[in-house]
Amino acid sequence: MMKNFVSWLRDVSPFLAVIILWRLQIHIFNPGGILAIIPIFYYSFVRPINWMPLMAIIFCFLIDYNMDTKLFWTCAYCIAYAINGFQYFLDLQHADKNALVSFMIFMGAALFILMITNLSWIMIGRCLWVFIWVVALYLPITRFLKRVHGDD
């Protein structure tokens, strides 16, 4: 019985991580629940699991709702998901450091577009801060998720 529970817990851990990181909204350290992008990206592109694309779209929409960005993160995720379909050029499942460089490109491009649409010094500062903070937390969070999910 305990093995069944541990197995079930490992199966739902990616989804719980998305929910927990989205709910832990703090204005400076997790604006709009943006840290939920980390498990969304990791389990959609690096270690794909069933049902994550659907949950990712829902939670990207919720991040948009919290940040008042009008489907920006949802569209960014859908574009990245479509680009990832071209496995001829991208092989994120075999990338080093849990595809950190690809995550940096995804976040950098998305935040650059967000910054350009509302160009001000405050927006530049916010986008730089979010980029630095989310990228700095990417490896620790993905390593923890790998350990919990049993991917080690």
Side-chain angles (χ1 to χ4, degrees), residues 133-147:
W133 183 244
V134 172
V135 169
L137 290 178
Y138 181 76
L139 281 179
I141 290 174
T142 56
R143 287 183 182 154
F144 176 74
L145 291 172
K146 279 174 72 170
R147 201 169 274 221

Side-chain angles (χ1 to χ4, degrees), residues 73-116:
W73 290 105
T74 307
C75 290
Y77 173 79
C78 290
I79 290 169
Y81 194 79
I83 290 171
N84 189 50
F86 299 112
Q87 285 294 325
Y88 305 112
F89 305 111
L90 303 171
D91 190 12
L92 299 181
Q93 295 177 4
H94 297 101
D96 292 339
K97 296 182 182 176
N98 298 333
L100 175 65
V101 174
S102 299
F103 182 73
M104 289 173 63
I105 291 169
F106 168 73
M107 285 300 293
L111 288 170
F112 181 75
I113 292 168
L114 192 62
M115 180 180 64
I116 294 299

Side-chain angles (χ1 to χ4, degrees), residues 8-80:
W8 176 81
L9 197 57
R10 283 187 173 171
D11 290 342
V12 299
S13 63
F15 303 105
L16 288 176
V18 171
I19 294 169
I20 290 169
L21 287 173
W22 177 74
R23 286 293 296 157
L24 290 175
Q25 298 174 35
I26 301 170
H27 181 66
I28 294 174
F29 297 111
N30 192 9
I34 194 70
L35 288 179
I37 290 286
I38 294 171
I40 287 171
F41 183 87
Y42 183 72
Y43 285 113
S44 291
F45 305 122
V46 182
R47 299 281 185 262
I49 59 172
N50 293 336
W51 297 101
M52 185 52 84
L54 177 62
M55 186 166 185
I57 290 171
I58 292 168
F59 274 86
C60 284
F61 177 77
L62 292 173
I63 291 169
D64 285 327
Y65 177 76
N66 287 341
M67 295 180 84
D68 197 28
T69 51
K70 295 182 179 69
L71 296 178
F72 176 77
W73 290 105
T74 307
C75 290
Y77 173 79
C78 290
I79 290 169

